[in-house]
């Protein structure tokens, strides 16, 4: 599933990307002539602009929540998404591109010495060049995702298909 988000939902876009979901920002403002793109299979449009409710399009989700974390929960709840469908920390939080593995030798000149000597895996965004590695940051993000996206089975959580360790940004 792909998500096209109204420009003011940048915080939600980042959370969706951390979940491994394709989330792109657009300007849905009718004042600027953009409006909504036409329906496309597998694409969900996310906005907070209430006037889009009257369109009654199945592909448009008008969110009520203000906070990006609450919006993430709302999207998952309303679309029936599960953590099992995710690949956490597999996308660049900035560019939305999938991260690619980078050899340690390539990473050597791109990271501080202490990072190079304490990390075994490195990943890079092919678009912006941002480098990622395992560390405490991905663990904190994973913990937050677990709390935010609790399954309705009493709080137990299932494993996710994640790219191992990708995502401590430099």
């Amino acid at each position: 599933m792909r998500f096209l988000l109204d420009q003011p939902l940048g915080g939600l876009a980042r959370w969706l990307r951390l979940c491994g979901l394709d989330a792109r920002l657009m300007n849905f403002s009718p004042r600027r002539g953009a409006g909504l793109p036409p329906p496309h299979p597998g694409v969900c449009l996310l906005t907070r602009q209430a006037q889009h409710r009257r369109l009654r399009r199945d592909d448009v989700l008008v969110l009520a929540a203000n906070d990006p974390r609450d919006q993430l929960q709302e999207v998952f709840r309303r679309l029936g998404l599960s953590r099992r469908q995710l690949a956490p920390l597999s996308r660049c939080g900035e560019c939305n591109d999938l991260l690619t593995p980078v050899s340690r030798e390539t990473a050597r000149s791109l990271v501080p010495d202490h990072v190079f000597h304490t990390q075994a895996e490195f990943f890079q965004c092919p678009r912006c060049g941002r480098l990622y590695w395992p560390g405490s940051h991905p663990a904190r993000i994973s913990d937050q995702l677990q709390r935010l996206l609790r399954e309705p089975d009493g709080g137990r959580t299932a494993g996710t298909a994640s790219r191992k360790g990708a995502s401590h940004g430099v």
Side-chain angles (χ1 to χ4, degrees):
M1 174 176 278
R2 276 184 51 208
F3 293 95
L4 296 178
L5 292 85
D6 200 0
Q7 197 70 43
L9 296 175
L12 173 59
R14 187 171 183 87
W15 276 104
L16 289 168
R17 291 170 186 161
L18 289 172
C19 289
L21 297 167
D22 187 348
R24 300 166 196 251
L25 289 171
M26 295 183 69
N27 187 346
F28 294 170
S29 173
R31 292 184 300 266
R32 298 194 182 166
L36 295 178
H40 206 289
V43 176
C44 182
L45 307 179
L46 302 176
T47 185
R48 291 205 64 240
Q49 295 184 47
Q51 72 262 25
H52 292 305
R53 278 193 186 99
R54 63 181 150 81
L55 298 175
R56 300 197 192 287
R57 283 178 45 179
D58 292 337
D59 64 328
V60 176
L61 193 61
V62 178
L63 302 175
N66 288 319
D67 180 76
R69 292 175 185 171
D70 295 337
Q71 291 167 348
L72 182 68
Q73 289 176 317
E74 183 178 352
V75 167
F76 271 69
R77 185 182 71 251
R78 290 178 62 187
L79 294 178
L81 297 176
S82 162
R83 282 191 34 245
R84 290 177 200 85
Q85 298 169 279
L86 307 181
L89 308 175
S90 61
R91 289 187 176 270
C92 179
E94 299 300 317
C95 295
N96 192 45
D97 278 15
L98 288 170
L99 301 176
T100 57
V102 173
S103 72
R104 279 182 49 85
E105 282 310 306
T106 300
R108 176 182 283 258
S109 64
L110 302 172
V111 299
D113 286 341
H114 74 279
V115 171
F116 179 77
H117 292 296
T118 60
Q119 301 300 316
E121 296 179 291
F122 297 92
F123 301 87
Q124 190 168 36
C125 174
R127 184 180 306 175
C128 73
R130 189 177 188 124
L131 201 62
Y132 295 81
W133 59 86
S136 61
H137 192 64
R140 284 192 305 269
I141 291 170
S142 293
D143 287 346
Q144 285 185 355
L145 287 175
Q146 278 188 344
R147 282 192 300 275
L148 288 171
L149 305 177
R150 291 266 183 227
E151 298 293 337
D153 61 355
R156 291 188 310 270
T157 56
T160 57
S162 70
R163 184 171 302 200
K164 204 172 167 187
S167 98
H168 180 24
V170 175

